C-alpha cells in the first residue's frame, strides 16, 4: 500500500512538473505519433492474431488445437506482434524523442524529417529489437492469459453457459478477463519498456548498455503505475474489440470445448 501511494505521489509530481514547464499543452506532447503508431500496431496485432490462430490451428488439427491451445495462443500472438512492432517502431521512436528531448521537436512533422536527416532510416528502427523484447512477451501474455481467463470465468465463475448470457454480460466477462490479462502483461513487459524509453532518448546507446546503467532496481521503477495503466488499457482494448465484433455481427467463437473424437479416445463418452 505504501509503495502504491509513493508511485501515485510521483505520478502527481510528474503531472505538476509537466504543467509547470510546458503548460497544459505539455500533457498532449507526442499525441500524433502515439495515436498513429498504436492504431497501426493494434490493427496489425488483432488482425494477424486471428489469421495466425487459424493458420496454426489448421496445421495442428482439431484435437491437437484443443490439447495445445495455450501454445497456439502464444505462437499466434508472438507471430502477430512481430509484424505489428515493425509498424509501431517509427512512431514510437518519434514519440519518445518529442517527449524526452526538450527543444528537439514540437510535433511529428518536425521530428520525423529531423531524425531521418541526422541518423537515416536506422533512427526509426534502432529500438525495434528492444520493442520486440517488450511487446512480444507482453502480447503473448495478453492474448494467452485473456483466452484462458475467459475460459475459466465461464467454467467456474459465470453461473450459466456463455450461450445463455446476454451480450452485455459477455462483454463484462471480456472486460474482466482483459484487466486480469493486463496486470500480467505489465509485469512481464516492464523491464524491456524501461530499456526502450532510455534507448530512444539517448542516441548512440545500446540495449545492453542501458540495461547495465539501470540495474536490477531501475528496470522495475514505476511498475505499480504501469500495472494500473496497462490493466485498464488492456481491458478497454478487449472490450472495444469484442464490442465491434458484436456490433458488426462478426464471428465470436465460444470458449473451446474438447472435440467429441478426443472424448472417445480418452473414454469420456458413454
Amino acid at each position: 500500500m505504501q509503495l502504491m501511494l509513493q508511485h501515485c505521489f510521483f505520478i502527481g509530481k510528474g503531472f505538476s512538473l509537466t504543467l509547470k514547464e510546458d503548460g497544459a499543452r505539455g500533457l498532449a506532447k507526442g499525441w500524433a505519433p502515439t495515436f498513429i503508431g498504436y492504431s497501426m500496431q493494434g490493427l496489425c496485432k488483432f488482425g494477424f492474431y486471428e489469421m495466425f490462430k487459424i493458420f496454426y490451428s489448421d496445421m495442428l488439427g482439431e484435437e491437437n488445437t484443443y490439447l495445445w491451445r495455450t501454445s497456439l495462443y502464444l505462437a499466434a500472438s508472438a507471430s502477430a506482434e512481430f509484424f505489428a512492432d515493425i509498424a509501431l517502431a517509427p512512431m514510437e521512436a518519434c514519440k519518445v524523442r518529442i517527449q524526452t528531448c526538450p527543444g528537439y521537436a514540437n510535433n511529428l512533422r518536425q521530428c520525423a524529417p529531423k531524425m531521418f536527416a541526422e541518423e537515416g532510416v536506422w533512427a526509426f528502427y534502432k529500438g525495434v529489437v528492444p520493442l520486440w523484447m517488450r511487446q512480444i512477451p507482453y502480447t503473448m501474455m495478453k492474448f494467452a492469459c485473456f483466452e484462458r481467463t475467459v475460459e475459466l470465468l465461464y467454467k467456474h465463475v459465470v453461473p450459466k453457459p456463455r450461450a445463455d448470457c446476454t451480450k452485455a454480460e459477455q462483454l463484462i466477462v471480456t472486460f474482466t478477463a482483459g484487466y486480469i490479462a493486463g496486470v500480467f502483461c505489465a509485469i512481464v513487459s516492464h523491464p524491456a519498456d524501461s530499456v526502450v524509453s532510455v534507448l530512444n532518448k539517448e542516441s548512440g546507446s545500446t540495449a545492453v548498455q542501458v540495461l547495465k546503467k539501470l540495474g536490477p532496481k531501475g528496470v522495475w521503477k514505476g511498475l505499480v503505475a504501469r500495472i494500473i495503466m496497462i490493466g485498464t488499457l488492456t481491458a478497454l482494448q478487449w472490450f472495444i474489440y469484442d464490442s465491434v465484433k458484436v456490433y458488426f455481427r462478426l464471428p465470436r467463437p465460444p470458449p473451446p470445448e474438447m472435440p467429441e473424437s478426443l472424448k472417445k479416445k480418452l473414454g469420456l463418452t458413454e
Side-chain angles (χ1 to χ4, degrees):
M1 184 66 184
Q2 185 180 1
L3 184 61
M4 185 176 287
L5 288 172
Q6 287 177 344
H7 279 290
C8 289
F9 170 75
F10 285 121
I11 293 169
K13 192 175 179 181
F15 272 107
S16 300
L17 186 62
T18 302
L19 286 168
K20 185 179 179 181
E21 292 183 351
D22 299 318
R25 192 176 178 182
L27 296 174
K29 241 182 178 182
W31 72 268
T34 300
F35 177 77
I36 295 169
Y38 282 93
S39 296
M40 291 167 63
Q41 186 210 31
L43 185 64
C44 292
K45 182 186 299 188
F46 283 94
F48 281 127
Y49 174 70
E50 298 290 352
M51 186 188 78
F52 279 115
K53 192 163 68 166
I54 294 169
F55 177 72
Y56 292 142
S57 179
D58 289 342
M59 288 176 62
L60 289 171
E62 185 182 29
E63 292 179 4
N64 285 329
T65 291
Y66 177 80
L67 291 171
W68 296 92
R69 59 193 182 281
T70 302
S71 299
L72 172 68
Y73 303 146
L74 292 169
S77 55
S79 302
E81 189 59 43
F82 178 87
F83 293 102
D85 287 345
I86 293 173
L88 171 64
M91 294 296 104
E92 179 75 359
C94 290
K95 181 200 77 171
V96 172
R97 193 67 66 93
I98 292 168
Q99 292 178 342
T100 60
C101 298
Y104 185 83
N106 293 320
N107 52 51
L108 180 60
R109 290 193 305 274
Q110 294 176 2
C111 186
K114 190 172 181 180
M115 287 176 67
F116 180 75
E118 291 176 354
E119 302 175 57
V121 177
W122 176 242
F124 303 107
Y125 288 100
K126 69 176 184 178
V128 74
V129 174
L131 201 56
W132 282 328
M133 289 167 55
R134 179 187 79 182
Q135 290 297 130
I136 290 177
Y138 169 92
T139 301
M140 290 170 74
M141 183 64 73
K142 175 179 179 175
F143 283 87
C145 186
F146 172 80
E147 297 271 19
R148 292 311 299 259
T149 302
V150 167
E151 189 178 336
L152 290 171
L153 286 174
Y154 278 114
K155 189 175 181 180
H156 300 292
V157 180
V158 180
K160 54 187 175 182
R162 180 179 181 268
D164 297 336
C165 295
T166 64
K167 292 292 189 292
E169 289 170 337
Q170 291 177 17
L171 290 173
I172 289 171
V173 173
T174 296
F175 184 86
T176 304
Y179 204 100
I180 293 169
V183 171
F184 288 100
C185 288
I187 295 169
V188 165
S189 64
H190 190 72
D193 182 65
S194 301
V195 173
V196 170
S197 295
V198 175
L199 192 64
N200 280 321
K201 182 170 65 174
E202 298 178 358
S203 42
S205 297
T206 65
V208 175
Q209 289 171 340
V210 171
L211 199 56
K212 287 180 179 178
K213 181 181 176 181
L214 289 173
K217 289 184 178 180
V219 294
W220 293 107
K221 190 176 180 182
L223 177 62
V224 175
R226 183 171 168 79
I227 284 175
I228 296 169
M229 181 186 75
I230 296 299
T232 306
L233 180 63
T234 304
L236 287 172
Q237 284 178 336
W238 278 113
F239 183 83
I240 293 167
Y241 181 61
D242 212 21
S243 298
V244 169
K245 281 187 168 184
V246 169
Y247 182 79
F248 289 104
R249 298 181 181 180
L250 297 172
R252 298 172 64 242
E257 294 183 3
M258 186 180 292
E260 289 299 323
S261 59
L262 189 56
K263 287 180 181 178
K264 289 178 182 178
K265 285 182 182 179
L266 298 175
L268 300 176
T269 54
E270 295 181 1

